[in-house]
Amino acid sequence: MNTFTLTRPDDFHLHLRDGEHMRAVLADTARRFARAIVMPNLKPPVITTEMAVAYRGRLLAALPQGVRFEPLMTLYLTDNTSPSEIIEAKRSGVIYGIKYYPAGATTNSAAGVTDIARCHETLEAMEQAEMPMLVHGEVTDPEVDVFDREKVFLERMLIPLTQRFPRLRVVFEHITTREAVEFVINAPKTVAATITAHHLLISRNALFQGGIRPHHYCLPILKRETHRQKLIEAATSGNPKFFLGTDSAPHAQFAKENACGCAGIYTAHAAIELYAEAFEQAGALEKLEAFASFHGADFYQLPRNQDKITLKKENWRVPAQLEFGGESLIPFRAGENVTWALDKTGN
Ligand SMILES: NC(=O)N[C@@H](CC(=O)O)C(=O)O
Ligand SMILES: [Zn+2]
Ligand SMILES: [Zn+2]
């Protein structure tokens, strides 16, 4: 197959940052995707409807002329998020999820939840409002091995939570393990998961290929190859509980190439092309459209997109670095080839 046309996809997990950084990365996503669930882990975090509405305004104002793109906003759950904030978020019509970061689990999560028991009334309000909870599913317990933090979160936190709040809609974000895949398959229809392109394409060996590779460092951290295989199986299975969420997470080069480098991989410059590679390698390109364009929209109860994009089988070289608001951003595959290219975007 030399060209491949699919319904325009959506990205159900994306970091767009703010200010100059946001203006540098937004177009990469807007060229490819119709909509994206925009993560709220800014500094300061997006904790109120008012802040989310203002952030949405800045995103729309930064769109290149003539480009249609809909940011689907989220709120950052804290110990103090009130049930009435959930009602207001729902009423706004522009907020589609509440993000649960265990405090300290990942980039800009310091203001996250210290004890989920403090949020029980708020979770009840989310159940009632049908407002999904989006989870960074890793424990922060320093005693737990970094490669086991997702699995342990599942056992200690997520399973009890879904039992206690059976009507709560949950998206287990950027899953990385066999255990997460199996949990989602066996969970009720209210539970779904996003899978990134990088977790489909590389395993933890890529962190240490010939030396330490900070640009492959993200959270949850890359896992061993058997887990990657399981993610590929889930993504290409046709099961509507699994859908596309890039977790594209830009950080400046200096912040990654650092004695204490930040977690996050930037993939928005080639997002759907990278997924096409992963699906083609698995011999399942025909499964990409539902994963990228239908399952997520259906879970979020959004209309499916009507327009199409076309990819062509063509090598192109990813730039060695991208401009990032006066700083430099090293994209995934920097200086190397991607084997699919955007042909027609309709924008
Ligand atoms: N995935 C990451 O490694 N980093 C994300 C945060 C997140 O999604 O956990 C970021 O905001 O940089
Ligand atoms: Zn996360
Ligand atoms: Zn993320």
Side-chain angles (χ1 to χ4, degrees):
M1 222 190 298
N2 286 322
T3 69
F4 179 62
T5 296
L6 69 158
T7 299
R8 183 181 291 281
D10 300 308
D11 184 350
F12 285 97
H13 182 133
L14 177 66
H15 299 272
L16 285 172
R17 313 305 190 203
D18 209 347
E20 289 297 308
H21 287 156
M22 176 264 280
R23 280 187 284 279
V25 298
L26 180 62
D28 279 347
T29 292
R31 274 186 77 197
R32 292 166 175 82
F33 296 95
R35 302 171 287 209
I37 286 276
V38 180
M39 290 295 140
N41 61 333
L42 304 182
K43 292 181 218 166
V46 181
I47 57 175
T48 64
T49 301
E50 197 184 342
M51 291 173 89
V53 168
Y55 182 28
R56 180 172 179 271
R58 297 195 294 281
L59 293 168
L60 293 175
L63 281 174
Q65 274 241 316
V67 172
R68 275 175 302 149
F69 172 72
E70 194 185 348
L72 308 171
M73 308 311 291
T74 60
L75 292 190
Y76 186 116
L77 185 68
T78 73
D79 289 351
N80 302 315
T81 306
S82 65
S84 62
E85 191 66 58
I86 303 303
I87 295 165
E88 185 165 348
K90 186 71 181 190
R91 221 181 269 143
S92 75
V94 298
I95 296 173
Y96 291 84
I98 310 294
K99 182 67 189 246
Y100 167 22
Y101 292 105
T106 187
T107 305
N108 296 342
S109 64
V113 175
T114 63
D115 177 2
I116 194 67
R118 297 191 178 171
C119 301
H120 279 178
E121 278 177 38
T122 303
L123 296 180
E124 270 163 29
M126 286 162 61
E127 262 189 326
Q128 271 179 5
E130 290 196 71
M131 178 62 86
M133 176 179 79
L134 320 181
V135 199
H136 180 106
E138 287 192 291
V139 291
T140 54
D141 183 347
E143 309 259 292
V144 177
D145 189 282
V146 66
F147 292 97
D148 295 333
R149 286 183 189 173
E150 181 175 285
K151 183 175 86 124
V152 174
F153 181 87
L154 182 58
E155 292 158 1
R156 284 191 200 164
M157 306 294 299
L158 198 53
I159 292 175
L161 211 57
T162 53
Q163 283 165 352
R164 182 166 181 138
F165 299 97
R167 289 183 302 121
L168 184 63
R169 301 174 68 74
V170 176
V171 184
F172 197 175
E173 299 287 349
H174 47 43
I175 59 168
T176 62
T177 57
R178 176 174 56 81
E179 291 83 358
V181 168
E182 283 167 0
F183 165 73
V184 171
I185 289 172
N186 295 315
K189 275 216 271 286
T190 43
V191 177
T194 54
I195 306 179
T196 76
H198 47 279
H199 287 104
L200 290 175
L201 287 166
I202 52 179
S203 63
R204 67 192 193 179
N205 281 357
L207 280 166
F208 305 108
Q209 201 190 345
I212 192 155
R213 301 285 187 152
H215 299 294
H216 287 159
Y217 175 56
C218 65
L219 289 169
I221 197 158
L222 295 165
K223 303 299 189 298
R224 64 166 69 240
E225 176 64 14
T226 49
H227 291 288
R228 188 185 75 86
Q229 294 290 346
K230 195 72 189 178
L231 296 176
I232 291 276
E233 208 184 295
T236 61
S237 67
N239 185 329
K241 286 173 163 172
F242 298 105
F243 48 84
L244 185 154
T246 61
D247 192 22
S248 178
H251 290 275
Q253 178 178 14
F254 74 84
K256 298 278 301 168
E257 297 175 11
N258 192 293
C260 187
C262 295
I265 298 180
Y266 186 70
T267 53
H269 63 294
I272 190 66
E273 300 92 316
L274 292 166
Y275 280 102
E277 260 191 50
F279 276 64
E280 186 188 37
Q281 279 168 22
L285 201 51
E286 78 287 356
K287 301 281 193 187
L288 179 61
E289 184 180 40
F291 174 81
S293 317
F294 300 157
H295 296 166
D298 296 352
F299 182 86
Y300 277 93
Q301 300 167 331
L302 295 165
R304 291 180 179 182
N305 297 319
Q306 294 300 311
D307 63 329
K308 311 253 177 208
I309 63 167
T310 297
L311 301 175
K312 60 184 172 197
K313 183 85 194 170
E314 184 183 286
N315 282 330
W316 61 283
R317 169 95 24 134
V318 173
Q321 59 181 66
L322 302 174
E323 203 284 320
F324 191 46
E327 294 165 345
S328 157
L329 171 63
I330 308 296
F332 188 68
R333 291 273 173 85
E336 293 170 30
N337 281 348
V338 171
T339 60
W340 286 90
L342 258 195
D343 189 17
K344 287 201 290 289
T345 77
N347 255 329

